Amino acid sequence: MTAPAPSNLTAMSEAWDDPVAFARELHHYYSQLEASGHRLPAHDWTTAAHAAETDN
């Protein structure tokens, strides 16, 4: 199943140079995805970073 295009694509584009505003718009898009039944990809960066540190 393909994810829908962001309903706030214009706002995301306009916020590109403002990290806080872009994060807010990205959160809005993620909320849109969840509401439409799409699951967000799992990101386990913390565990991966910790594993990389302990492997050295």
Side-chain angles (χ1 to χ4, degrees), residues 8-26:
N8 63 329
L9 183 59
T10 301
M12 289 175 74
S13 298
E14 290 172 355
W16 181 254
D17 291 327
D18 180 348
V20 173
F22 186 76
R24 183 174 42 249
E25 295 302 329
L26 191 58

Side-chain angles (χ1 to χ4, degrees), residues 3-4 26-41:
L26 191 58
H27 174 74
H28 177 75
Y29 176 55
Y30 288 158
S31 297
Q32 174 192 347
L33 286 177
E34 287 187 80
S36 67
H38 290 81
R39 295 191 61 190
L40 298 178

